[in-house]
Amino acid sequence: MKKFLITGALGQIGSELAMELRKRYGNENVVASDLSKRESIVVESGPFEVLDITDSDKLDEIVKKHEINWIINLAAILSAVGEKNPSLAWEINMNGLFNVLEVARENNCAVFTPSSIAAFGPNTPKDDTPQDTIQRPNTMYGVTKVSGELLCDYYYEKFGVDTRGVRFPGLISYSTLPGGGTTDYAVHIYYEALKKGKFTCPLDEDTYMDMMYMPDAINAIIDLIEADASKLKHRNAFNVTAMSFNPEMIANEIKKHISEFTMDYDVNNDLQKIANSWPNSLDDSAAKKEWDWNPKYDLEAMTKDMLDKLKEKLNIEK
Ligand code: NAD
Ligand code: AKB
């Protein structure tokens, strides 16, 4: 029986993953944790611990107390915040991950940690970016992501820790707002379209990036956790994607539902620089081959669902 600990469980991914895991594996088998106890269905619906992942003793204590055998490490600082505070990004993304891997090694736990398209850099082939290619990121977030991939590989090779992970693109969801990334505009655009009928985009119109709707991301995590280990060659850094678009394309899709919607641009140079260093589109054939990765939502299906769900959430009639 799998018994999960999720770190950073009140964030964009964790708040939805915790609920889906509880549905599938039972509430008591999914221990959620985060820096503090915030108001959330995740805190109310099952076990919750206050945990700072830089505190390895507390992490070890919680793993022992709940007899955890899977740690899903979602505590992190994302790209935009990480560029403003690189030492914090290093402390949490690297030292935190190191603690997670050490505690996992000592307590025989498996570990899932997401990497990101940020693990690539300006020298990486931009289109159809291969699974195995040049990785020389020029952001602190990207440096921690590629180092994290290597550290997870090391713990598998050296100590036999069952480490797994994917390189997520920008994730779009209606439940919890994103935590300070470069792809966040693709979430905010839906809120602003419904609330104000207009959106000022911080990235220029030619900025292509890979994206994915949260239900596909949640399935990716659970499918990889459940995958037959003997079939996994890449383990910690599978390219996964569901769509690639630029701001014009998402705006045009929204206009099909909200005809009066308009978008203008006020480019944020810091964000633009980060986005320009990332791929336009990923090749995710290794994930398809090794564990049957198969996303369900494209831009059209995601936009319809996002707008329907957000209208309900924001109590908007349109
Ligand atoms: P998020 O910012 O929404 O949530 C991160 C959570 O970590 C927050 O709830 C925060 O309180 C918590 N946290 C911060 N410092 C902590 C600490 N010291 N100890 C414990 N908890 C701490 O992030 P997310 O979007 O849910 O991302 C989760 C993981 O997925 C990260 O590794 C991120 O790099 C990766 N990822 C996310 C995306 C995306 O678009 N959301 C894309 C690619 C990769
Ligand atoms: C970010 O923009 O920082 C994240 C990511 C793609 O890793 N959404």
Side-chain angles (χ1 to χ4, degrees), residues 4-123:
F4 296 96
L5 171 67
I6 308 177
T7 71
L10 301 184
Q12 193 196 6
I13 301 179
S15 55
E16 296 199 39
L17 179 67
M19 298 313 292
E20 186 59 29
L21 286 177
R22 283 179 177 162
K23 203 164 31 166
R24 296 199 203 184
Y25 297 86
N27 286 5
E28 66 291 354
N29 292 319
V30 182
V31 180
S33 72
D34 209 302
L35 274 181
S36 60
K37 210 173 196 173
R38 307 196 281 271
E39 199 181 313
S40 162
I41 179 81
V42 173
V43 174
E44 286 151 27
S45 63
F48 182 87
E49 297 277 359
V50 172
L51 171 66
D52 179 337
I53 57 162
T54 60
D55 182 349
S56 59
D57 291 340
K58 180 88 186 279
L59 176 59
D60 185 60
E61 186 190 308
I62 290 170
V63 163
K64 287 191 164 69
K65 174 178 154 193
H66 293 279
E67 300 179 330
I68 298 298
N69 53 29
W70 263 96
I71 304 176
I72 302 183
N73 182 36
L74 302 179
I77 298 297
L78 275 72
S79 58
V81 177
E83 278 313 272
K84 293 207 170 82
N85 196 342
S87 60
L88 181 69
W90 182 268
E91 173 65 9
I92 293 167
N93 298 7
M94 288 316 302
N95 294 340
L97 174 60
F98 180 77
N99 290 341
V100 165
L101 289 167
E102 269 298 289
V103 167
R105 179 177 72 80
E106 283 162 6
N107 293 277
N108 291 318
C109 300
V111 176
F112 181 94
T113 303
S115 183
S116 160
I117 50 172
F120 298 114
N123 306 333

Side-chain angles (χ1 to χ4, degrees), residues 257-281:
H257 302 265
I258 306 171
S259 55
E260 66 278 17
F261 175 63
T262 58
M263 183 168 74
D264 60 8
Y265 292 88
D266 182 10
V267 172
N268 174 321
N269 292 330
D270 295 335
L271 285 184
Q272 189 66 53
K273 191 170 166 238
I274 299 174
N276 288 348
S277 75
W278 292 355
N280 293 336
S281 62

